[in-house]
Amino acid sequence: SDSNTNGGEGINEWSQADLMKLLNPGYENEKNGDSVTGSLYWNRASGKCYNGQNNATTDCDFTENNGNKVKGLSEEAKSMIEKSTWYLGGFDQSLKGTINLHNITDLMDAERGTEVYKEDNITRTTIWNGYVGLMYPSDYAQATNSDSCDDTLYYWDTNDACTSNNWIYKENYNQWTMSPKSNDASGVWDVFRDGSVYSPYNARYAFLVWPVINLKSSVKITNLDTADGKTKSSYQLGR
């Protein structure tokens, strides 16, 4: 956000987020000065991405894979993505005694709930219809093969139960989720660099992002390539 809104710290409302507009179609006219900021990932385009306080920007190029660059979506990939309903319920550390953060089922209930920050003049929604979203905290918890991750998920409690064999975990990097902090205007839940689910950060921070999509029911797995014959597999999708 600009300096006049939440002190430039951002707004924890996905339906209005600059990141949402970067990933999804229909925002090609979104600009910062002369540079396009919207729909860059969707359109395999280049322009500016927001990455800091007071609407700071950096150059972004989604036209090719090269070093830290990531290519955007192909036309074939876009044709396989279903426009879906995404849930924007939030929660805070206290959770008013209704939800146990160490329990994945309770997390999913919170993510699909109606708790959002209401003490400013920003209109916040509890559902959003679109193509590309982010992971939820519960997605991260379920990406491990450990049954005990939900016992150690909350911040400062984490151990190997949540990070071992978890394909979403990236050591030493923070990663955004889609769930806002319900007792704060700017806070968003993230996967902390130690592997725990954490919430001290405002939306203006530039963290890692996993673009998440839902596939159309007509899409099939056309090929499974097991790279090492055992564990590392890649799926090829088609019609």
Side-chain angles (χ1 to χ4, degrees), residues 117-136:
Y117 189 71
K118 301 182 178 71
E119 297 180 22
D120 59 10
N121 60 356
I122 304 299
T123 300
R124 290 177 173 80
T125 57
T126 55
I127 60 172
W128 169 76
N129 293 307
Y131 292 93
V132 185
L134 304 181
M135 66 176 172
Y136 294 104

Side-chain angles (χ1 to χ4, degrees), residues 22-124:
L22 174 79
L23 298 174
N24 284 274
Y27 301 98
E28 291 81 2
N29 293 326
E30 293 282 331
K31 291 185 176 181
N32 186 305
D34 294 329
S35 297
V36 176
T37 61
S39 301
L40 299 180
Y41 177 75
W42 185 267
N43 292 327
R44 281 193 174 178
S46 59
K48 293 286 187 181
C49 293
Y50 291 97
N51 78 328
Q53 194 172 17
N54 302 327
N55 281 338
T57 61
T58 188
D59 292 331
C60 276
D61 185 354
F62 294 98
T63 61
E64 60 180 344
N65 289 320
N66 183 12
N68 290 327
K69 295 179 181 179
V70 177
K71 187 181 287 188
L73 294 168
S74 67
E75 292 303 315
E76 183 179 16
K78 287 187 280 189
S79 72
M80 298 183 190
I81 300 174
E82 187 78 79
K83 189 174 186 179
S84 306
T85 297
W86 302 75
Y87 298 92
L88 307 180
F91 48 93
D92 60 41
Q93 288 96 327
S94 66
L95 300 176
K96 300 177 182 179
T98 60
I99 291 172
N100 177 9
L101 266 176
H102 290 158
N103 185 281
I104 293 173
T105 301
D106 281 354
L107 270 179
M108 294 175 69
D109 288 342
E111 294 158 1
R112 289 172 173 261
T114 59
E115 288 292 324
V116 293
Y117 189 71
K118 301 182 178 71
E119 297 180 22
D120 59 10
N121 60 356
I122 304 299
T123 300
R124 290 177 173 80

